[in-house]
Amino acid sequence: MSDSQPFRRIGLSNPAGFSDPIVQPETVIPKAPVVQSTNSKIDQSLLLPVVDTVPLLKELGIDFGMLFHRLKLTLAPTSNPSFDVIKGFDFFGPVLFFVFLGFIQTMRSKLHFGYLYVLLLLASFAFTFLLSCLSLGKSSCTVYLSVSILGYSTFPMIIFALVQLIVGNIFPVVQFVLFVLWSTKSASGCFSVIANIQESAILIGYPCFLYFSTIATLLLF
């Protein structure tokens, strides 16, 4: 027993002679400092991408305000249209007027409105070539602009078709001459300004009269 004395543990609190378990110190993870924002609301424009949205009609070049302004030139043939206004004529107005004119003809059981589109296209090429010859190649008129001018000047023909639909053939010759001259004055005035040949407007007026007479004949019979 004397030999085992050096191995005897003295002052142990555990009577079984086992050593106390080693307690690992708790690892403290540092936290990021909290920054107090002075603004309670977050600016959403900083989070979402800014998309420049353009209205669909404006993106397509459709402006009803300018459309009615251009119609004033047609409804008031005594006015003097400016070059900038005529140069800005669009394609939406003529398409809208011819669709409406075709709808009126359909209500009158006349399905030959396809000829109206063919006449418009042929007349546009013819007037573009004619204005180029009269102005000695200095005309600013294009086929697109010719279609636009003839289309806007066709609005009196729409009134003529409505009169034929509602009233009927009452004084047809008077109606024919009145609305043809109305459209002719409007178209010839715009063509003479765009080609800068105001002194030769009568030379443009005659082919315009022939064109709108053909349109009125299709609407009348």
Side-chain angles (χ1 to χ4, degrees):
M1 295 297 294
S2 60
D3 295 336
S4 61
Q5 290 297 328
F7 300 98
R8 187 174 62 182
R9 300 176 65 89
I10 301 174
L12 294 176
S13 58
N14 190 350
F18 296 104
S19 60
D20 295 335
I22 301 174
V23 179
Q24 296 293 335
E26 183 179 357
T27 304
V28 179
I29 301 175
K31 296 181 180 181
V34 179
V35 179
Q36 297 293 335
S37 177
T38 57
N39 297 326
S40 59
K41 296 182 179 180
I42 301 176
D43 190 1
Q44 297 296 330
S45 63
L46 299 177
L47 302 179
L48 299 176
V50 179
V51 180
D52 188 11
T53 58
V54 181
L56 180 60
L57 293 180
K58 186 176 181 181
E59 189 175 355
L60 295 176
I62 300 174
D63 188 354
F64 286 99
M66 289 301 297
L67 189 147
F68 288 114
H69 178 67
R70 291 158 188 158
L71 269 181
K72 292 180 181 179
L73 300 177
T74 303
L75 297 177
T78 57
S79 62
N80 295 321
S82 62
F83 179 84
D84 295 332
V85 174
I86 300 175
K87 192 70 175 177
F89 274 18
D90 59 354
F91 197 71
F92 173 70
V95 171
L96 181 63
F97 297 152
F98 271 82
V99 168
F100 188 55
L101 187 60
F103 176 73
I104 296 174
Q105 288 297 95
T106 304
M107 294 180 63
R108 299 177 60 198
S109 301
K110 295 184 178 182
L111 304 179
H112 57 261
F113 56 85
Y115 294 105
L116 301 176
Y117 301 106
V118 176
L119 285 174
L120 175 64
L121 185 61
L122 295 178
S124 300
F125 282 101
F127 277 105
T128 303
F129 176 75
L130 179 61
L131 291 176
S132 179
C133 294
L134 292 177
S135 61
L136 301 178
K138 299 179 181 179
S139 175
S140 301
C141 187
T142 59
V143 176
Y144 175 86
L145 194 56
S146 296
V147 172
S148 184
I149 292 175
L150 292 175
Y152 275 99
S153 300
T154 308
F155 190 79
M157 295 289 102
I158 296 178
I159 302 177
F160 177 57
L162 285 174
V163 171
Q164 290 292 312
L165 178 64
I166 298 173
V167 178
N169 290 327
I170 299 178
F171 303 108
V173 178
V174 176
Q175 296 180 24
F176 183 94
V177 174
L178 176 63
F179 289 105
V180 167
L181 289 178
W182 190 357
S183 294
T184 300
K185 178 64 174 63
S186 176
S188 61
C190 294
F191 278 128
S192 61
V193 170
I194 205 67
N196 196 17
I197 51 172
Q198 288 86 345
E199 66 280 357
S200 304
I202 189 64
L203 298 178
I204 295 295
Y206 178 67
C208 288
F209 180 81
L210 295 179
Y211 168 73
F212 288 109
S213 296
T214 307
I215 297 294
T217 303
L218 291 175
L219 298 178
L220 188 61
F221 299 105

